[in-house]
Amino acid sequence: MTDSEPNDTRRTSFILQDILAKIEQAVSEKDEQDFLVNLVKAFETGGKSKVNEILEQKMRETLSGVEKASAEIKEALKEVEGT
Amino acid sequence: MRYFLTKVEVEGFRGISKRRELELHPKLTILIGPNSSGKSSFIEAIEWGLVGDKVPREVYTKRRRTAIRNKYTRNTEVKIHYNDGQGRGFVIKAHLPRHREYMPEIDREGPLKGLVAAHIGFKDYIRSVVYAQADPRVIIEKAEHLNTAIDSILGLKAYKDFMKCIEECISKVERKEEALANELYKFKEELTRKYEGLIRKIEKIQSILKKYGIDPSQVSLKKIRDELKKLIPPDYKGDIPEDVEGLRRTIEEFKKLWEITPKLPTYQQALLCELEQEKKGLVNRKERLKSERTKCYEWLQQLESLIKDLSNIEEKLKGKNLEKLRSQLAEKEYQVRQIDNEIKKLNSMIEEMNEEYSIVEKAWNFLKKSKKAYCPVCNRELTTGFLRKRATLEIIEKRLESLKSEVEDLVERRDKLARELKDLNNERDQLEKQIEKIEQLQRERNKFRREIKNLLEEVSKSPRIARALENPSVARELLNETIRRIDEEICNIEKEIKRKEKQIEDLKRLIEESRARAEELSREKLRKMDIIYSELEYILLHKSVSRLEDLIEKEPWKLLEKFICKLEALRLMLIKLMNITKEVHESEAKEKLKEFNKILDDVYRALYEHPYFKHIEVRLKEIRSGTEPNRYDIICISERGEEEGIDVLNTSAQNAISLAVYITSARLGLHPLSILLLDDPTQTFDERHVRKLAEALEKISEDVQVVVATADERFQKALIELFYDKAYIYKFEKDWAPEEGPIFERLR
């Protein structure tokens, strides 16, 4: 039983509003601001699991192409393996 | 908009056996009466009915409240009626199933159904029930519970949960960042290792090529192909490829082909085999002849030995007449039989004589003993008298002597004949032995003759002789002749073998010389092949180095570094969010604390009058994230501004502080339903403070619904005096039957 349960969001939402207001003040870059706002709202609506979902998605976007780059490097190293 | 309880119905709960109802005042309900009159059962029933399924077992165990069920009734039930502040009434029904000891099944109706019930226990006699977001089951009985309780009262737990969530996000990004950094480090390390390894290899091959007098800068695929064309092995059928891999495979193939010992010319090989075969045939033939010769020798030896033995026997048989000896033997046997018969006759005569002699001797003995007798010989009656007897005895004596002498003669004669018989027997035995010996010799002679015949038959079967042999002397001559011929043949074969051996020796030498020349050529080819291989390897290494240099030039790690930077940016963003949350959290906490402290101090001063420490204040010591509660200090402050921890205060002052902390939280207006349950709260208070508490309840009950039970007459008096018209006051009777339940009445 935690305060993040759907029926107990009244107080949480009140608190998160403060954080959202502060984010708007403290973060100037739009993308960054959007991401953090999304994260806070995700916590408000879906709790920890929703936040994790948003973060996973962000990390996927951030690391898009990392596997390809890594594979290319490995391929290049493999090419000279026989010599 | 505050909710408040309107009525409580209790049945079968602790001291309350039969159903009892208690209407509750929206602000203050007072239960007064002596000890053990059932007041506390109602206080506990309200708590159990509201949060009985939220209170951990240890709370019940600790308070020794295991006996929930009343022993006089089967049913244990508490019904709590409440109002939502807008005139709508709802019921909370708590029921203890038969199989449970304390945990009720609670059926909640109305808006409270969706809220979280929380239980805050400060001391055994001060309990509160709230329906809110607050952290449930907070018990301030030890100092370490205080931080959690204040966090909960200030409503800061939501921050903490959010911060914990962000913290987890940061650590997740950090882990990913670390994994990528590790991958990048490994990649760089491997790249460096491989590059250095290739350079070392190139240097080594360069030195090899220089040793062979080859300028590495002149090495090319075209040159390698041209050189390979000069080294094509005779058995190779394919073309020379143009690509590096193809050339590498071709060199491997060439090397294998040149490594095989060059084949010898076919005619030399065949000749060598033929000679070897011929030599082998000659050797076999020689061996065969030798064995034939040995056989002839054996036969000859056997023949000579048999002839010698036979002639020995013939010599022994010479002059021996077997018929004559046999007739002599027959004659001797006849004589022996004659003498033997005569001896038998004499023996019988001797026997008769002896018999007669014995009769006569008996007669003589008889006569000598008897006076009158009959002659045992003639059976006549003998005349008595000495003369007659004497005459008779003389006759008998003479007869005895005559018989004795006759017997002696016969014995002598018989002994003489016996000796003659013995001699004759000896002679006969000798004759028999001679005959037997001659017969033995004759048998042996026959045996040797048979053996000689068999030997001649065997010899005549030999392929070299192959004709019937009549006598041993012919066979002897023939065998000697055969041996001589075999010797000649062996001699010829030995000469032939020596000739063949010489030819083989010459041919082998020739072959060895050819092989050595071929091997030298092969080695030369392989050496050239090694050089070409080194050249090719040099090209390949250069290609790999170029590939790595290209890779280094492109700086692919920059891409990974970029990703790491992106992750770092994400992490920093999350840290920023964390800091913002912390900041908001801290300012919120400080803001709340300011308000909280103002009310707290008022409540404390209303409840308790300490001679020195007039004020109390809660201070934020440290904001903490995650599950750890923030750190707070409760400070008591003197009029002169001196500060101390509350542990310097006495128990009653500390109780007053506990009560003040709860009342303050209720006044902050954070919970839709707050019930303050006070069960004999004045235990540690003096009369002055009892009065102060009673007075404070007026103000407290404005913010929070209070149910207070007390057996303290001082407190009862103060409460009646202050709240007679403003609250519901129930008076409980001292005497009541346990099977019926408590007896009480409302004063107003």
Side-chain angles (χ1 to χ4, degrees), chain A residues 1 3 7-8 11 15 18 22 32 39 43 52 62-64 66 69-70 73 77 79 81 83, chain B residues 114 116 133 158-159 161-162 172 183 187 194 201 544 547 559 563 566 573-574 576 580 583 588 592:
Chain A
M1 197 188 314
D3 58 356
N7 289 321
D8 190 26
R11 178 72 188 150
I15 290 163
D18 292 348
K22 191 81 182 171
E32 198 177 331
L39 216 56
F43 186 74
N52 279 335
T62 310
L63 297 176
S64 152
V66 74
S70 181
I73 292 166
L77 287 172
E79 271 180 38
E81 196 70 47
T83 47
Chain B
V116 178
Q133 91 314 327
Y159 285 108
D161 286 343
F162 185 62
K172 199 181 276 179
E183 198 178 334
F187 158 64
K194 282 196 173 162
K201 277 186 186 172
S544 294
R547 178 81 181 90
L559 203 57
F563 282 115
K566 278 182 179 180
M573 246 194 287
L574 289 168
K576 202 181 266 181
I580 287 171
E583 211 177 298
E588 177 85 3
K592 286 266 175 63

Side-chain angles (χ1 to χ4, degrees), chain B residues 302-506:
Chain B
Q302 278 179 26
L303 194 64
E304 291 298 343
S305 159
L306 287 170
I307 290 168
K308 193 181 166 191
D309 291 344
L310 188 63
S311 60
N312 282 343
I313 288 165
E314 292 286 359
E315 189 66 31
K316 281 177 189 170
L317 283 172
K318 214 173 191 176
K320 299 278 193 235
N321 192 338
L322 194 60
E323 288 306 315
K324 195 181 165 187
L325 284 170
R326 275 179 181 155
S327 69
Q328 278 177 0
L329 181 67
E331 197 180 334
K332 289 288 173 195
E333 275 176 351
Y334 176 74
Q335 286 174 359
V336 166
R337 276 197 304 275
Q338 289 261 313
I339 290 169
D340 197 39
N341 285 340
E342 207 167 334
I343 286 169
K344 280 176 186 167
K345 212 185 276 176
L346 285 173
N347 278 340
S348 129
M349 281 169 74
I350 289 165
E351 210 171 306
E352 281 172 14
M353 286 297 175
N354 279 338
E355 203 174 326
E356 196 180 338
Y357 183 83
S358 141
I359 293 165
V360 174
E361 201 176 35
K362 276 179 188 172
W364 188 79
N365 287 335
F366 180 74
L367 281 176
K368 267 182 32 179
K369 288 174 187 175
S370 66
K371 291 174 181 173
K372 187 181 175 183
Y374 293 92
C375 176
V377 182
C378 59
N379 226 11
R380 285 177 303 181
E381 191 183 354
L382 296 174
T383 52
T384 51
F386 180 73
L387 287 173
R388 270 198 318 248
K389 193 179 175 182
R390 190 177 169 182
T392 307
L393 282 172
E394 278 174 2
I395 292 165
I396 290 168
E397 268 177 2
K398 276 181 188 172
R399 182 63 184 154
L400 275 173
E401 275 174 17
S402 146
L403 281 171
K404 200 175 179 179
S405 121
E406 276 177 26
V407 168
E408 278 173 0
D409 286 347
L410 283 172
V411 167
E412 194 180 340
R413 201 174 150 200
R414 188 190 63 184
D415 289 347
K416 192 182 170 189
L417 280 171
R419 277 194 298 277
E420 280 177 18
L421 183 65
K422 195 181 173 186
D423 291 343
L424 279 172
N425 272 333
N426 284 342
E427 281 175 23
R428 188 191 63 183
D429 289 347
Q430 277 176 2
L431 277 172
E432 272 177 355
K433 277 178 188 169
Q434 278 182 6
I435 289 166
E436 199 180 336
K437 197 174 176 187
I438 289 166
E439 280 173 350
Q440 176 73 22
L441 286 169
Q442 280 178 339
R443 279 197 297 278
E444 277 182 23
R445 183 181 63 188
N446 290 338
K447 185 187 151 203
F448 284 124
R449 276 177 183 165
R450 268 198 313 279
E451 280 182 11
I452 288 168
K453 197 183 169 191
N454 289 341
L455 186 65
L456 291 180
E457 273 176 15
E458 195 187 338
V459 172
S460 68
K461 279 177 193 168
S462 159
R464 282 196 174 269
I465 294 167
R467 66 186 174 109
L469 295 171
E470 294 297 325
N471 57 56
S473 59
V474 174
R476 185 190 289 146
E477 272 179 29
L478 210 52
L479 281 170
N480 281 327
E481 178 60 25
T482 307
I483 289 166
R484 201 164 48 251
R485 270 193 285 112
I486 287 171
D487 282 343
E488 276 172 20
E489 259 184 76
I490 287 172
C491 188
N492 288 337
I493 285 168
E494 278 175 349
K495 278 178 191 166
E496 187 66 12
I497 287 171
K498 274 182 187 165
R499 203 167 60 82
K500 293 284 173 198
E501 275 175 349
K502 194 172 177 305
Q503 284 177 349
I504 287 168
E505 208 50 44
D506 291 346

Side-chain angles (χ1 to χ4, degrees), chain B residues 461-637:
Chain B
K461 279 177 193 168
S462 159
R464 282 196 174 269
I465 294 167
R467 66 186 174 109
L469 295 171
E470 294 297 325
N471 57 56
S473 59
V474 174
R476 185 190 289 146
E477 272 179 29
L478 210 52
L479 281 170
N480 281 327
E481 178 60 25
T482 307
I483 289 166
R484 201 164 48 251
R485 270 193 285 112
I486 287 171
D487 282 343
E488 276 172 20
E489 259 184 76
I490 287 172
C491 188
N492 288 337
I493 285 168
E494 278 175 349
K495 278 178 191 166
E496 187 66 12
I497 287 171
K498 274 182 187 165
R499 203 167 60 82
K500 293 284 173 198
E501 275 175 349
K502 194 172 177 305
Q503 284 177 349
I504 287 168
E505 208 50 44
D506 291 346
L507 195 56
K508 273 185 179 172
R509 203 179 310 115
L510 191 68
I511 288 167
E512 273 306 311
E513 282 168 10
S514 303
R515 191 197 300 272
R517 277 203 303 279
E519 276 177 0
E520 198 182 324
L521 277 171
S522 174
R523 273 199 297 278
E524 179 61 23
K525 300 271 183 198
L526 286 172
R527 197 177 67 85
K528 283 182 180 170
M529 213 70 72
D530 284 340
I531 297 168
I532 293 172
Y533 197 85
S534 298
E535 286 175 340
L536 193 67
E537 206 174 345
Y538 182 75
I539 290 173
L540 276 169
L541 285 170
H542 255 291
K543 207 175 155 191
S544 294
V545 167
S546 304
R547 178 81 181 90
L548 281 185
E549 279 171 352
D550 283 349
L551 195 68
I552 293 164
E553 201 175 329
K554 280 180 194 165
E555 297 181 328
W557 56 82
K558 288 215 164 164
L559 203 57
L560 281 183
E561 280 171 351
K562 207 172 137 190
F563 282 115
I564 293 169
C565 288
K566 278 182 179 180
L567 279 178
E568 197 183 353
L570 180 62
R571 186 165 53 85
L572 291 173
M573 246 194 287
L574 289 168
I575 289 170
K576 202 181 266 181
L577 180 61
M578 174 66 105
N579 290 336
I580 287 171
T581 311
K582 232 176 188 173
E583 211 177 298
V584 174
H585 179 189
E586 195 169 346
S587 72
E588 177 85 3
K590 281 179 180 168
E591 195 65 31
K592 286 266 175 63
L593 268 182
K594 215 183 275 176
E595 198 183 343
F596 183 86
N597 281 329
K598 196 167 168 290
I599 301 168
L600 180 71
D601 194 50
D602 286 349
V603 174
Y604 171 68
R605 278 189 288 120
L607 284 179
Y608 203 81
E609 195 178 325
H610 196 275
Y612 189 67
F613 293 107
K614 302 285 184 188
H615 306 280
I616 59 163
E617 190 179 314
V618 176
R619 283 188 192 158
L620 178 65
K621 196 175 174 189
E622 187 189 348
I623 287 281
R624 297 172 86 184
S625 56
T627 48
E628 291 292 306
N630 294 334
R631 285 191 182 164
Y632 300 95
D633 284 334
I634 300 184
I635 309 291
C636 44
I637 306 162

Side-chain angles (χ1 to χ4, degrees), chain B residues 205-216 219-220 223-225 227-228 231 251 255 523-539:
Chain B
I205 290 179
Q206 272 179 343
S207 72
I208 291 168
L209 290 176
K210 276 177 189 165
K211 205 169 85 182
Y212 289 130
I214 294 164
D215 181 4
V219 173
S220 70
K223 184 173 170 273
I224 288 170
R225 286 190 80 232
E227 279 170 6
L228 266 182
L231 296 168
I251 292 170
K255 278 172 99 174
R523 273 199 297 278
E524 179 61 23
K525 300 271 183 198
L526 286 172
R527 197 177 67 85
K528 283 182 180 170
M529 213 70 72
D530 284 340
I531 297 168
I532 293 172
Y533 197 85
S534 298
E535 286 175 340
L536 193 67
E537 206 174 345
Y538 182 75
I539 290 173

